[in-house]
Amino acid sequence: MSHNALFQLATLVLMAVFYVAYFAKQISQRRQGVSTMILGKGDKPSGQKRVESLLKAATFGMPAVEIVSIWLNRMPVPLWLRVAGMAVAATGVAFFIAGMLTMKGSWRAGIPEKRETALVKEGIYRISRNPAFVGFDLMYVGILAMFPNLWHLAAVILTILLFHRQILGEERFLESAFGEEYLAYRRNVRRYL
């Protein structure tokens, strides 16, 4: 098996771990009566609703962009860059899963209309206020490094910018929901890393 084929297979396995964890968490919470997929739903300001709707489309479209990039990649990529990309992507998957598991029942995709979650500050949230978003970003950048093309690059940049806009909206929500407790946390822990 060639190096390219090994990286293709390993990347698809890594993506499968990521998305199985993501959907398993949603299913688990749905069984407990918790709706986790609230992107673009509810009574939110129109700008936030638009960002969330675009983000939902981007995050569900990104696996297709990645799979096409993996299978149709024609650009020669040095082995060291593929290894580095795999390490970055695997770190992203680990960050995402750690963030998701640490959030427990407070996990949501989107900003809730009311305070129905706890402010999570332990575990990986002592390192990053947004480890799940860091996980997405690292996974996307790592896969892009391994299987680059212009469409893939454009999709990664757009999605990361949408994640950043979402984070800013979530910060406003958390400040209004948790006040000084969140502000103190924000002063002590970085937004990303």
Side-chain angles (χ1 to χ4, degrees):
M1 187 179 269
S2 71
H3 282 121
N4 189 54
L6 282 172
F7 278 100
Q8 287 173 319
L9 180 61
T11 304
L12 291 172
V13 168
L14 197 59
M15 288 174 62
V17 168
F18 182 91
Y19 289 107
V20 165
Y22 182 85
F23 289 114
K25 181 67 171 181
Q26 281 192 353
I27 292 166
S28 169
Q29 284 192 267
R30 187 176 306 132
R31 287 183 179 154
Q32 297 170 20
V34 177
S35 177
T36 58
M37 180 50 75
I38 55 176
L39 284 171
K41 297 179 181 175
D43 186 26
K44 300 173 186 175
S46 62
Q48 185 63 47
K49 206 172 214 177
R50 186 171 38 256
V51 167
E52 288 189 4
S53 295
L54 288 169
L55 183 58
K56 186 176 185 178
T59 55
F60 283 108
M62 185 59 79
V65 171
E66 290 171 330
I67 289 169
V68 167
S69 294
I70 290 165
W71 287 115
L72 300 180
N73 183 54
R74 301 291 181 254
M75 185 177 288
V77 177
L79 181 59
W80 69 266
L81 185 55
R82 287 232 166 115
V83 170
M86 180 59 72
V88 168
T91 301
V93 172
F95 252 77
F96 176 80
I97 291 173
M100 185 179 62
L101 293 175
T102 303
M103 286 285 284
K104 298 177 185 152
S106 293
W107 175 262
R108 302 288 185 281
I111 299 172
E113 292 183 61
K114 59 184 186 229
R115 181 180 165 174
E116 55 188 34
T117 63
L119 180 61
V120 177
K121 301 182 287 188
E122 66 269 353
I124 197 160
Y125 286 87
R126 290 179 294 180
I127 300 167
S128 170
R129 295 194 319 257
N130 298 285
F133 286 118
V134 169
F136 269 108
D137 291 350
L138 291 175
M139 185 179 75
Y140 291 164
V141 168
I143 293 172
L144 174 65
M146 289 185 282
F147 304 100
N149 64 60
L150 290 177
W151 290 108
H152 193 177
L153 175 63
V156 168
I157 290 171
L158 172 66
T159 305
I160 288 174
L161 290 173
L162 286 169
F163 282 146
H164 180 71
R165 291 283 309 271
Q166 179 68 16
I167 287 167
L168 297 177
E170 288 184 6
E171 287 177 350
R172 288 188 295 274
F173 167 77
L174 291 168
E175 186 176 343
S176 69
F178 297 99
E180 184 54 41
E181 181 185 8
Y182 174 71
L183 293 174
Y185 171 64
R186 190 170 74 182
R187 283 190 295 272
N188 293 316
V189 179
R190 292 176 186 233
R191 179 180 285 149
Y192 295 106
L193 289 175

Coordinates of all heavy atoms in Angstrom, one line a residue, residues 130-184:
N130 N -12.8 27.2 24.2 CA -13.6 26.7 23.1 C -12.9 25.4 22.5 O -12.5 25.4 21.3 CB -13.7 27.7 22.0 CG -14.5 28.9 22.4 OD1 -15.7 28.8 22.6 ND2 -13.8 30.0 22.8
P131 N -12.6 24.4 23.3 CA -11.9 23.3 22.8 C -12.6 22.5 21.6 O -11.9 22.0 20.8 CB -11.7 22.4 24.0 CG -12.8 22.7 24.9 CD -13.0 24.2 24.7
A132 N -13.9 22.5 21.6 CA -14.5 21.8 20.5 C -14.3 22.5 19.2 O -14.0 21.9 18.2 CB -16.0 21.7 20.8
F133 N -14.4 23.9 19.2 CA -14.1 24.6 18.0 C -12.6 24.5 17.6 O -12.3 24.4 16.5 CB -14.5 26.1 18.2 CG -15.9 26.4 18.2 CD1 -16.6 26.9 19.3 CD2 -16.7 26.1 17.1 CE1 -17.9 27.1 19.3 CE2 -18.1 26.3 17.1 CZ -18.7 26.9 18.2
V134 N -11.7 24.5 18.6 CA -10.3 24.3 18.3 C -10.1 22.9 17.7 O -9.4 22.8 16.7 CB -9.5 24.4 19.6 CG1 -8.0 23.9 19.4 CG2 -9.4 25.9 20.2
G135 N -10.9 22.0 18.2 CA -10.8 20.6 17.6 C -11.2 20.6 16.1 O -10.6 20.0 15.3
F136 N -12.4 21.2 15.8 CA -12.8 21.3 14.4 C -11.7 22.0 13.6 O -11.4 21.5 12.5 CB -14.1 22.2 14.3 CG -15.4 21.5 14.4 CD1 -16.2 21.6 15.6 CD2 -15.8 20.7 13.4 CE1 -17.4 20.9 15.6 CE2 -17.1 20.1 13.4 CZ -17.9 20.2 14.6
D137 N -11.2 23.2 14.1 CA -10.2 23.9 13.3 C -9.0 23.1 13.0 O -8.5 23.0 11.9 CB -9.8 25.2 14.1 CG -11.0 26.2 14.1 OD1 -12.0 26.1 13.4 OD2 -10.8 27.2 14.8
L138 N -8.5 22.4 14.1 CA -7.3 21.6 13.9 C -7.5 20.5 13.0 O -6.6 20.2 12.1 CB -6.7 21.1 15.3 CG -6.2 22.2 16.2 CD1 -5.8 21.6 17.5 CD2 -5.0 22.9 15.6
M139 N -8.6 19.8 13.1 CA -8.9 18.7 12.2 C -9.0 19.2 10.7 O -8.4 18.6 9.8 CB -10.2 18.0 12.6 CG -10.4 16.8 11.7 SD -11.9 15.8 12.1 CE -13.2 16.9 11.3
Y140 N -9.7 20.3 10.5 CA -9.8 20.8 9.1 C -8.5 21.2 8.6 O -8.1 20.9 7.4 CB -10.8 22.0 9.1 CG -12.2 21.7 9.4 CD1 -13.1 22.7 9.7 CD2 -12.7 20.4 9.3 CE1 -14.4 22.4 10.0 CE2 -14.1 20.1 9.5 CZ -14.9 21.2 9.9 OH -16.2 20.9 10.1
V141 N -7.7 21.9 9.4 CA -6.3 22.4 8.9 C -5.4 21.2 8.7 O -4.7 21.2 7.7 CB -5.7 23.4 9.9 CG1 -4.3 23.7 9.6 CG2 -6.5 24.7 9.9
G142 N -5.5 20.2 9.5 CA -4.6 19.0 9.4 C -5.0 18.3 8.1 O -4.1 17.9 7.3
I143 N -6.2 18.1 7.8 CA -6.6 17.4 6.6 C -6.3 18.2 5.4 O -5.8 17.6 4.4 CB -8.1 17.0 6.7 CG1 -8.4 16.0 7.8 CG2 -8.6 16.4 5.3 CD1 -9.8 15.6 8.1
L144 N -6.5 19.5 5.5 CA -6.1 20.4 4.4 C -4.6 20.3 4.1 O -4.2 20.2 2.9 CB -6.4 21.8 4.7 CG -6.0 22.9 3.7 CD1 -6.7 22.7 2.3 CD2 -6.2 24.3 4.2
A145 N -3.7 20.2 5.1 CA -2.3 20.1 4.9 C -2.0 18.8 4.2 O -1.1 18.7 3.3 CB -1.6 20.1 6.2
M146 N -2.7 17.7 4.5 CA -2.4 16.4 3.8 C -3.0 16.3 2.4 O -2.3 15.7 1.6 CB -3.1 15.3 4.7 CG -2.4 15.1 6.0 SD -3.1 13.6 6.9 CE -4.6 14.3 7.5
F147 N -4.1 17.0 2.2 CA -4.8 16.8 0.9 C -5.3 18.2 0.4 O -6.5 18.5 0.4 CB -6.0 15.9 1.0 CG -5.6 14.5 1.5 CD1 -5.8 14.2 2.8 CD2 -5.0 13.6 0.7 CE1 -5.4 12.9 3.3 CE2 -4.6 12.3 1.1 CZ -4.8 12.0 2.5
P148 N -4.3 19.1 0.0 CA -4.7 20.4 -0.3 C -5.2 20.6 -1.8 O -4.9 19.9 -2.7 CB -3.3 21.2 -0.2 CG -2.3 20.1 -0.6 CD -2.9 18.8 0.0
N149 N -6.1 21.5 -1.9 CA -6.6 22.1 -3.2 C -7.3 23.4 -2.9 O -7.6 23.7 -1.7 CB -7.5 21.1 -4.0 CG -8.8 20.8 -3.3 OD1 -9.6 21.7 -3.0 ND2 -9.0 19.5 -2.9
L150 N -7.5 24.2 -3.9 CA -8.1 25.5 -3.6 C -9.5 25.5 -3.1 O -9.8 26.3 -2.2 CB -8.1 26.4 -4.9 CG -6.6 26.8 -5.4 CD1 -6.7 27.5 -6.7 CD2 -6.0 27.6 -4.3
W151 N -10.3 24.6 -3.5 CA -11.7 24.5 -3.0 C -11.7 24.1 -1.5 O -12.4 24.6 -0.7 CB -12.5 23.5 -3.8 CG -12.9 23.9 -5.1 CD1 -12.3 23.5 -6.3 CD2 -13.8 25.0 -5.5 NE1 -12.8 24.2 -7.4 CE2 -13.7 25.1 -6.9 CE3 -14.6 25.8 -4.8 CZ2 -14.5 26.0 -7.6 CZ3 -15.4 26.8 -5.5 CH2 -15.3 26.8 -6.9
H152 N -10.8 23.2 -1.2 CA -10.7 22.7 0.2 C -10.2 23.9 1.1 O -10.7 24.2 2.1 CB -9.7 21.6 0.2 CG -9.7 20.8 1.5 ND1 -8.9 19.7 1.7 CD2 -10.3 21.0 2.7 CE1 -9.1 19.2 2.9 NE2 -9.9 20.0 3.5
L153 N -9.2 24.6 0.6 CA -8.7 25.8 1.3 C -9.8 26.8 1.5 O -9.9 27.3 2.7 CB -7.5 26.4 0.5 CG -6.9 27.7 1.1 CD1 -6.3 27.5 2.5 CD2 -5.9 28.3 0.1
A154 N -10.5 27.1 0.5 CA -11.6 28.1 0.6 C -12.7 27.6 1.6 O -13.1 28.4 2.5 CB -12.3 28.4 -0.7
A155 N -13.0 26.4 1.6 CA -14.0 25.8 2.6 C -13.5 25.9 4.0 O -14.2 26.2 4.9 CB -14.4 24.4 2.2
V156 N -12.2 25.6 4.2 CA -11.6 25.6 5.6 C -11.6 27.1 6.1 O -12.0 27.3 7.2 CB -10.2 25.0 5.6 CG1 -9.5 25.3 6.9 CG2 -10.3 23.5 5.4
I157 N -11.2 28.0 5.2 CA -11.1 29.4 5.7 C -12.5 29.9 6.0 O -12.7 30.5 7.1 CB -10.5 30.3 4.6 CG1 -9.0 30.0 4.5 CG2 -10.7 31.8 4.9 CD1 -8.2 30.6 3.4
L158 N -13.5 29.6 5.2 CA -14.9 30.1 5.4 C -15.4 29.5 6.7 O -16.0 30.2 7.5 CB -15.8 29.7 4.2 CG -17.3 29.9 4.5 CD1 -17.6 31.4 4.6 CD2 -18.1 29.3 3.4
T159 N -15.2 28.2 6.9 CA -15.8 27.5 8.1 C -15.1 28.1 9.4 O -15.8 28.3 10.4 CB -15.6 26.0 8.0 OG1 -16.3 25.6 6.7 CG2 -16.3 25.3 9.1
I160 N -13.8 28.3 9.3 CA -13.1 28.8 10.5 C -13.6 30.2 10.8 O -13.8 30.5 12.0 CB -11.6 28.7 10.3 CG1 -11.1 27.2 10.4 CG2 -10.8 29.6 11.4 CD1 -9.6 27.0 10.1
L161 N -13.8 31.0 9.8 CA -14.3 32.4 10.1 C -15.7 32.3 10.7 O -16.1 33.1 11.5 CB -14.3 33.2 8.8 CG -13.0 33.6 8.2 CD1 -13.1 34.2 6.9 CD2 -12.3 34.5 9.2
L162 N -16.6 31.4 10.2 CA -17.9 31.2 10.7 C -17.8 30.7 12.2 O -18.6 31.2 13.0 CB -18.7 30.2 9.9 CG -19.2 30.8 8.6 CD1 -19.8 29.7 7.7 CD2 -20.2 31.9 8.8
F163 N -16.9 29.8 12.5 CA -16.7 29.4 13.9 C -16.4 30.5 14.7 O -16.9 30.7 15.9 CB -15.6 28.3 14.0 CG -16.0 26.9 13.6 CD1 -15.0 26.1 13.0 CD2 -17.3 26.4 13.8 CE1 -15.4 24.8 12.6 CE2 -17.6 25.1 13.4 CZ -16.6 24.3 12.8
H164 N -15.5 31.4 14.3 CA -15.1 32.6 15.1 C -16.3 33.5 15.3 O -16.5 33.9 16.5 CB -14.0 33.3 14.4 CG -13.5 34.5 15.1 ND1 -12.8 34.4 16.3 CD2 -13.7 35.9 14.9 CE1 -12.6 35.6 16.8 NE2 -13.1 36.5 16.0
R165 N -17.1 33.7 14.3 CA -18.3 34.5 14.5 C -19.3 33.9 15.5 O -19.9 34.5 16.4 CB -19.1 34.7 13.2 CG -18.4 35.6 12.2 CD -18.5 37.1 12.5 NE -19.8 37.6 12.8 CZ -20.6 38.1 11.8 NH1 -20.3 38.1 10.6 NH2 -21.8 38.5 12.2
Q166 N -19.4 32.6 15.5 CA -20.2 31.8 16.4 C -19.7 32.0 17.8 O -20.4 32.2 18.8 CB -20.3 30.4 16.0 CG -21.2 29.5 16.9 CD -22.6 29.9 16.9 OE1 -23.1 30.5 16.0 NE2 -23.4 29.4 17.9
I167 N -18.4 31.9 18.0 CA -17.8 32.0 19.3 C -18.1 33.4 19.9 O -18.4 33.5 21.0 CB -16.2 31.7 19.2 CG1 -16.0 30.2 19.0 CG2 -15.5 32.3 20.4 CD1 -14.6 29.9 18.6
L168 N -18.0 34.4 19.0 CA -18.2 35.8 19.5 C -19.7 35.9 20.0 O -20.0 36.5 21.1 CB -18.0 36.8 18.4 CG -16.5 36.9 18.0 CD1 -16.4 37.9 16.8 CD2 -15.6 37.3 19.1
G169 N -20.6 35.3 19.3 CA -22.0 35.2 19.7 C -22.2 34.5 21.0 O -22.9 34.9 21.9
E170 N -21.5 33.3 21.1 CA -21.6 32.5 22.4 C -21.0 33.3 23.6 O -21.5 33.2 24.7 CB -20.9 31.2 22.2 CG -21.6 30.3 21.3 CD -21.0 28.9 21.2 OE1 -20.0 28.6 21.9 OE2 -21.5 28.1 20.3
E171 N -20.0 34.1 23.3 CA -19.4 34.9 24.4 C -20.4 35.9 24.9 O -20.5 36.1 26.1 CB -18.1 35.5 23.9 CG -16.9 34.5 23.8 CD -15.6 35.2 23.3 OE1 -15.7 36.3 22.9 OE2 -14.6 34.5 23.3
R172 N -21.1 36.5 24.0 CA -22.1 37.5 24.4 C -23.2 36.8 25.3 O -23.6 37.3 26.3 CB -22.7 38.2 23.2 CG -21.8 39.2 22.6 CD -22.5 40.0 21.5 NE -22.9 39.2 20.4 CZ -22.2 38.9 19.3 NH1 -20.9 39.3 19.2 NH2 -22.6 38.2 18.3
F173 N -23.6 35.6 24.8 CA -24.6 34.9 25.6 C -24.1 34.5 27.0 O -24.8 34.7 28.0 CB -25.0 33.6 24.8 CG -25.8 32.6 25.6 CD1 -27.2 32.9 25.9 CD2 -25.2 31.5 26.2 CE1 -27.9 32.0 26.7 CE2 -25.9 30.6 27.0 CZ -27.3 30.9 27.2
L174 N -22.9 34.0 27.0 CA -22.3 33.5 28.3 C -22.1 34.7 29.3 O -22.4 34.6 30.5 CB -21.0 32.8 28.1 CG -21.1 31.4 27.4 CD1 -19.8 30.9 26.9 CD2 -21.8 30.4 28.3
E175 N -21.7 35.9 28.7 CA -21.6 37.0 29.6 C -22.9 37.5 30.2 O -23.1 37.7 31.4 CB -21.0 38.2 28.8 CG -20.7 39.4 29.7 CD -20.0 40.5 28.9 OE1 -19.4 40.2 27.8 OE2 -20.0 41.6 29.4
S176 N -24.0 37.4 29.4 CA -25.3 37.8 29.9 C -25.9 36.7 30.8 O -26.6 37.1 31.8 CB -26.3 38.1 28.7 OG -26.6 36.9 28.0
A177 N -25.6 35.5 30.5 CA -26.1 34.4 31.3 C -25.4 34.2 32.7 O -26.0 33.9 33.7 CB -26.1 33.1 30.5
F178 N -24.1 34.4 32.7 CA -23.3 34.0 33.8 C -22.6 35.2 34.5 O -22.0 35.1 35.5 CB -22.3 32.9 33.5 CG -22.9 31.7 33.1 CD1 -23.0 31.3 31.8 CD2 -23.4 30.8 34.1 CE1 -23.6 30.1 31.4 CE2 -24.0 29.6 33.7 CZ -24.1 29.2 32.4
G179 N -22.6 36.4 33.8 CA -22.1 37.6 34.4 C -20.6 37.5 34.8 O -19.8 37.1 34.0
E180 N -20.4 38.0 36.0 CA -19.0 38.1 36.5 C -18.3 36.7 36.6 O -17.1 36.7 36.4 CB -19.0 38.7 37.9 CG -17.6 39.0 38.5 CD -16.7 39.7 37.5 OE1 -17.1 40.7 36.9 OE2 -15.5 39.4 37.4
E181 N -19.0 35.7 36.8 CA -18.4 34.3 36.8 C -17.7 34.0 35.5 O -16.6 33.6 35.4 CB -19.4 33.2 37.2 CG -18.8 31.9 37.2 CD -19.9 30.8 37.4 OE1 -21.1 31.0 37.4 OE2 -19.4 29.6 37.6
Y182 N -18.5 34.3 34.4 CA -17.9 34.1 33.0 C -16.8 35.1 32.7 O -15.7 34.7 32.2 CB -19.0 34.3 32.0 CG -18.4 34.2 30.6 CD1 -17.9 33.0 30.1 CD2 -18.3 35.3 29.8 CE1 -17.3 32.9 28.8 CE2 -17.7 35.2 28.5 CZ -17.2 34.0 28.1 OH -16.6 34.0 26.8
L183 N -16.9 36.4 33.1 CA -15.9 37.4 32.9 C -14.6 37.0 33.6 O -13.5 37.2 33.0 CB -16.4 38.8 33.3 CG -17.5 39.4 32.5 CD1 -18.0 40.7 33.2 CD2 -17.2 39.6 31.1
A184 N -14.7 36.5 34.8 CA -13.5 36.1 35.5 C -12.8 34.9 34.8 O -11.6 34.8 34.6 CB -13.8 35.7 36.9

